[in-house]
Amino acid sequence: MVARGLFVVFEGGEGAGKSTQVSLAAERARALDLEVVTCREPGGTPFGEAIRAALLHGEGTSARAELLAFSAARAALVDEVIAPALGRGALVLCDRFTASTVAYQQYGRGLEAALVEHAIELATGGLRPDLQVLLDLPPARGLERAGAASDRFEAERLGFHERVRAGFLAQAADDPGHWLVLDAEAPPEALASAVWSAIEPRLPRS
Ligand code: TYD
Protein backbone atom coordinates (compact mmCIF):
# COMPACT_ATOMS: atom_id res chain seq x y z
CA MET A 1 0.00 0.00 0.00
CA VAL A 2 1.46 3.38 -0.98
CA ALA A 3 0.51 5.90 1.67
CA ARG A 4 1.64 9.43 0.92
CA GLY A 5 -0.54 11.29 3.39
CA LEU A 6 -0.42 11.28 7.18
CA PHE A 7 -2.52 9.04 9.37
CA VAL A 8 -3.18 10.28 12.91
CA VAL A 9 -5.36 8.40 15.39
CA PHE A 10 -6.87 9.65 18.65
CA GLU A 11 -7.29 7.05 21.38
CA GLY A 12 -8.48 6.92 24.97
CA GLY A 13 -11.18 5.68 27.28
CA GLU A 14 -14.71 6.97 27.65
CA GLY A 15 -15.09 10.73 28.10
CA ALA A 16 -11.50 11.52 27.12
CA GLY A 17 -12.45 14.26 24.64
CA LYS A 18 -11.19 12.57 21.47
CA SER A 19 -13.84 13.97 19.16
CA THR A 20 -13.11 17.55 20.35
CA GLN A 21 -9.42 17.04 19.57
CA VAL A 22 -10.19 15.58 16.14
CA SER A 23 -12.23 18.71 15.34
CA LEU A 24 -9.58 21.12 16.66
CA ALA A 25 -6.79 19.39 14.69
CA ALA A 26 -8.96 19.38 11.56
CA GLU A 27 -9.59 23.12 11.95
CA ARG A 28 -5.87 23.87 12.18
CA ALA A 29 -5.07 21.70 9.17
CA ARG A 30 -7.85 23.19 7.03
CA ALA A 31 -6.57 26.68 7.83
CA LEU A 32 -3.37 25.58 6.07
CA ASP A 33 -5.39 24.38 3.05
CA LEU A 34 -4.56 20.74 3.65
CA GLU A 35 -7.00 18.07 2.57
CA VAL A 36 -8.33 16.63 5.83
CA VAL A 37 -10.43 13.49 6.17
CA THR A 38 -11.96 12.72 9.57
CA CYS A 39 -13.47 9.42 10.62
CA ARG A 40 -14.48 7.41 13.65
CA GLU A 41 -14.50 3.76 14.59
CA PRO A 42 -16.55 1.71 14.52
CA GLY A 43 -18.31 3.32 11.57
CA GLY A 44 -17.43 5.78 8.85
CA THR A 45 -19.01 3.79 6.00
CA PRO A 46 -22.65 2.71 5.56
CA PHE A 47 -21.59 -0.91 6.22
CA GLY A 48 -19.56 0.12 9.25
CA GLU A 49 -22.36 2.25 10.71
CA ALA A 50 -24.70 -0.75 10.54
CA ILE A 51 -22.14 -2.83 12.44
CA ARG A 52 -21.67 0.04 14.91
CA ALA A 53 -25.37 -0.02 15.78
CA ALA A 54 -25.21 -3.77 16.46
CA LEU A 55 -22.01 -3.49 18.51
CA LEU A 56 -22.98 -0.56 20.69
CA HIS A 57 -26.70 -1.00 21.06
CA GLY A 58 -27.41 -4.65 20.25
CA GLU A 59 -27.74 -7.57 22.62
CA GLY A 60 -24.03 -8.32 22.79
CA THR A 61 -22.27 -11.49 21.67
CA SER A 62 -19.09 -13.46 22.34
CA ALA A 63 -15.81 -11.58 22.64
CA ARG A 64 -14.54 -13.36 19.53
CA ALA A 65 -17.56 -12.34 17.45
CA GLU A 66 -17.22 -8.79 18.77
CA LEU A 67 -13.56 -8.73 17.67
CA LEU A 68 -14.53 -9.83 14.16
CA ALA A 69 -17.36 -7.31 13.91
CA PHE A 70 -15.04 -4.40 14.82
CA SER A 71 -12.58 -5.83 12.30
CA ALA A 72 -15.14 -6.07 9.50
CA ALA A 73 -16.16 -2.44 10.04
CA ARG A 74 -12.47 -1.49 10.05
CA ALA A 75 -11.73 -3.32 6.81
CA ALA A 76 -14.50 -1.34 5.10
CA LEU A 77 -13.20 1.94 6.52
CA VAL A 78 -9.62 1.22 5.46
CA ASP A 79 -10.61 0.12 1.94
CA GLU A 80 -13.25 2.75 1.24
CA VAL A 81 -12.00 5.82 3.12
CA ILE A 82 -8.57 5.75 4.79
CA ALA A 83 -6.36 4.13 2.14
CA PRO A 84 -7.80 6.21 -0.75
CA ALA A 85 -7.40 9.42 1.29
CA LEU A 86 -3.79 8.61 2.19
CA GLY A 87 -3.18 7.78 -1.45
CA ARG A 88 -4.31 11.33 -2.36
CA GLY A 89 -1.90 12.75 0.21
CA ALA A 90 -4.57 13.77 2.73
CA LEU A 91 -4.25 14.14 6.47
CA VAL A 92 -6.51 11.47 7.99
CA LEU A 93 -7.69 12.05 11.56
CA CYS A 94 -9.44 9.06 13.04
CA ASP A 95 -11.30 8.77 16.36
CA ARG A 96 -10.11 5.29 17.50
CA PHE A 97 -8.39 2.57 15.44
CA THR A 98 -6.50 -0.66 16.18
CA ALA A 99 -5.18 0.35 19.62
CA SER A 100 -8.81 0.39 20.81
CA THR A 101 -9.13 -3.25 19.78
CA VAL A 102 -6.04 -4.18 21.77
CA ALA A 103 -7.24 -2.14 24.76
CA TYR A 104 -10.90 -3.26 24.75
CA GLN A 105 -10.95 -6.76 23.26
CA GLN A 106 -7.55 -7.96 24.55
CA TYR A 107 -7.04 -6.14 27.87
CA GLY A 108 -10.73 -5.50 28.56
CA ARG A 109 -12.40 -8.71 27.38
CA GLY A 110 -9.36 -10.95 27.87
CA LEU A 111 -8.95 -12.28 24.32
CA GLU A 112 -5.56 -13.73 23.42
CA ALA A 113 -3.04 -11.26 22.03
CA ALA A 114 -2.27 -13.44 18.98
CA LEU A 115 -5.93 -13.62 17.99
CA VAL A 116 -6.36 -9.86 18.27
CA GLU A 117 -3.17 -9.23 16.32
CA HIS A 118 -4.36 -11.57 13.58
CA ALA A 119 -7.72 -9.80 13.26
CA ILE A 120 -6.01 -6.41 13.16
CA GLU A 121 -3.64 -7.55 10.41
CA LEU A 122 -6.54 -8.90 8.38
CA ALA A 123 -8.59 -5.73 8.77
CA THR A 124 -5.83 -3.24 8.02
CA GLY A 125 -3.66 -5.11 5.52
CA GLY A 126 -0.74 -3.84 7.60
CA LEU A 127 -1.69 -0.15 7.51
CA ARG A 128 -0.49 1.51 10.72
CA PRO A 129 -1.03 5.02 12.06
CA ASP A 130 1.90 7.43 11.74
CA LEU A 131 0.96 8.92 15.10
CA GLN A 132 -1.37 7.84 17.90
CA VAL A 133 -2.49 10.41 20.45
CA LEU A 134 -3.56 8.94 23.77
CA LEU A 135 -5.86 11.18 25.80
CA ASP A 136 -5.31 9.54 29.14
CA LEU A 137 -7.38 9.94 32.28
CA PRO A 138 -8.57 7.85 35.21
CA PRO A 139 -11.67 5.89 34.09
CA ALA A 140 -13.74 7.10 37.03
CA ARG A 141 -13.23 10.69 35.82
CA GLY A 142 -13.89 9.77 32.19
CA LEU A 143 -17.12 7.97 32.99
CA GLU A 144 -18.22 10.93 35.07
CA ARG A 145 -17.48 13.28 32.15
CA ALA A 146 -19.29 10.99 29.70
CA GLY A 147 -22.44 11.05 31.85
CA ALA A 148 -25.07 8.30 31.95
CA ALA A 149 -23.95 5.15 30.11
CA SER A 150 -25.16 5.41 26.52
CA ASP A 151 -23.86 2.12 25.09
CA ARG A 152 -22.76 -1.43 26.00
CA PHE A 153 -19.14 -0.43 26.61
CA GLU A 154 -19.82 2.57 28.83
CA ALA A 155 -22.05 0.30 30.90
CA GLU A 156 -19.12 -2.02 31.74
CA ARG A 157 -17.74 -2.09 35.31
CA LEU A 158 -14.93 0.18 36.45
CA GLY A 159 -12.49 -2.78 36.50
CA PHE A 160 -13.03 -3.26 32.76
CA HIS A 161 -12.24 0.39 32.10
CA GLU A 162 -9.14 0.20 34.33
CA ARG A 163 -7.86 -2.70 32.20
CA VAL A 164 -8.62 -0.73 29.01
CA ARG A 165 -6.60 2.21 30.32
CA ALA A 166 -3.69 -0.09 31.23
CA GLY A 167 -3.91 -1.52 27.70
CA PHE A 168 -3.54 1.89 26.08
CA LEU A 169 -0.65 2.89 28.37
CA ALA A 170 1.17 -0.38 27.70
CA GLN A 171 0.92 0.11 23.92
CA ALA A 172 2.21 3.69 24.19
CA ALA A 173 5.10 2.59 26.42
CA ASP A 174 6.05 -0.13 23.93
CA ASP A 175 6.31 2.22 20.96
CA PRO A 176 7.01 5.76 22.20
CA GLY A 177 8.08 6.98 18.74
CA HIS A 178 4.52 6.59 17.43
CA TRP A 179 2.60 7.77 20.50
CA LEU A 180 1.91 11.08 22.19
CA VAL A 181 0.44 10.62 25.67
CA LEU A 182 -1.45 13.59 27.06
CA ASP A 183 -3.36 14.28 30.26
CA ALA A 184 -6.95 14.47 29.01
CA GLU A 185 -7.87 16.79 31.87
CA ALA A 186 -5.70 19.63 30.50
CA PRO A 187 -7.62 22.47 28.82
CA PRO A 188 -8.77 21.50 25.28
CA GLU A 189 -6.83 24.37 23.61
CA ALA A 190 -3.60 23.36 25.37
CA LEU A 191 -4.14 19.76 24.26
CA ALA A 192 -4.81 20.92 20.70
CA SER A 193 -1.51 22.82 20.66
CA ALA A 194 0.40 19.79 21.93
CA VAL A 195 -1.28 17.61 19.29
CA TRP A 196 -0.50 20.07 16.52
CA SER A 197 3.16 20.27 17.60
CA ALA A 198 3.37 16.52 17.04
CA ILE A 199 1.48 16.54 13.72
CA GLU A 200 3.13 19.52 12.09
CA PRO A 201 6.67 18.09 11.68
CA ARG A 202 5.23 14.83 10.32
CA LEU A 203 3.17 16.44 7.54
CA PRO A 204 4.21 15.32 4.06
CA ARG A 205 6.05 18.09 2.22
CA SER A 206 5.10 18.56 -1.40
P1 TYD B 1 -18.16 5.51 20.85
O1 TYD B 1 -19.52 6.01 21.16
O2 TYD B 1 -17.52 5.93 19.58
O3 TYD B 1 -17.28 5.80 22.10
P2 TYD B 1 -16.29 6.96 22.38
O4 TYD B 1 -17.10 8.22 22.22
O5 TYD B 1 -15.86 6.67 23.77
O6 TYD B 1 -15.20 6.79 21.37
O7 TYD B 1 -18.19 3.94 20.99
C1 TYD B 1 -17.18 3.13 20.60
C2 TYD B 1 -17.02 2.06 21.66
O8 TYD B 1 -16.51 0.89 21.04
C3 TYD B 1 -16.07 2.48 22.76
O9 TYD B 1 -16.60 2.13 24.01
C4 TYD B 1 -14.84 1.63 22.50
C5 TYD B 1 -15.37 0.44 21.74
N1 TYD B 1 -14.41 -0.16 20.80
C6 TYD B 1 -13.94 -1.45 21.01
O10 TYD B 1 -14.32 -2.10 21.99
N2 TYD B 1 -13.07 -2.00 20.10
C7 TYD B 1 -12.66 -1.33 18.99
O11 TYD B 1 -11.87 -1.87 18.19
C8 TYD B 1 -13.15 0.01 18.78
C9 TYD B 1 -12.74 0.78 17.56
C10 TYD B 1 -14.03 0.55 19.70
Side-chain angles (χ1 to χ4, degrees), residues 16-176:
K18 294 179 282 82
S19 54
T20 303
Q21 290 306 318
V22 168
S23 303
L24 292 173
E27 240 171 61
R28 292 197 188 209
R30 287 191 179 114
L32 296 177
D33 264 347
L34 296 171
E35 186 196 348
V36 183
V37 172
T38 62
C39 50
R40 68 163 180 186
E41 279 212 340
T45 66
F47 177 78
E49 290 293 328
I51 293 183
R52 176 186 179 87
L55 277 167
L56 300 190
H57 308 296
E59 288 298 305
T61 176
S62 70
R64 211 165 62 92
E66 184 179 276
L67 169 69
L68 291 173
F70 277 112
S71 302
R74 176 168 302 139
L77 186 68
V78 167
D79 291 349
E80 295 174 32
V81 177
I82 298 176
L86 292 174
R88 294 193 302 274
L91 170 63
V92 178
L93 304 172
C94 198
D95 185 336
R96 299 194 182 280
F97 197 59
T98 53
S100 281
T101 313
V102 172
Y104 283 81
Q105 277 65 55
Q106 182 181 323
Y107 284 77
R109 297 277 191 240
L111 283 177
E112 246 176 73
L115 195 66
V116 171
E117 206 177 298
H118 191 53
I120 286 175
E121 184 63 31
L122 203 60
T124 62
L127 175 70
R128 294 201 171 85
D130 297 294
L131 173 68
Q132 297 176 89
V133 177
L134 175 56
L135 297 169
D136 178 59
L137 88 167
R141 282 288 297 130
L143 292 168
E144 192 182 305
R145 282 173 29 154
S150 63
D151 64 51
R152 282 201 312 112
F153 291 92
E154 283 181 21
E156 287 287 341
R157 294 160 189 275
L158 192 57
F160 176 87
H161 294 287
E162 299 279 7
R163 293 198 297 282
V164 167
R165 183 193 194 190
F168 280 127
L169 288 169
Q171 292 178 81
D174 272 357
D175 187 14

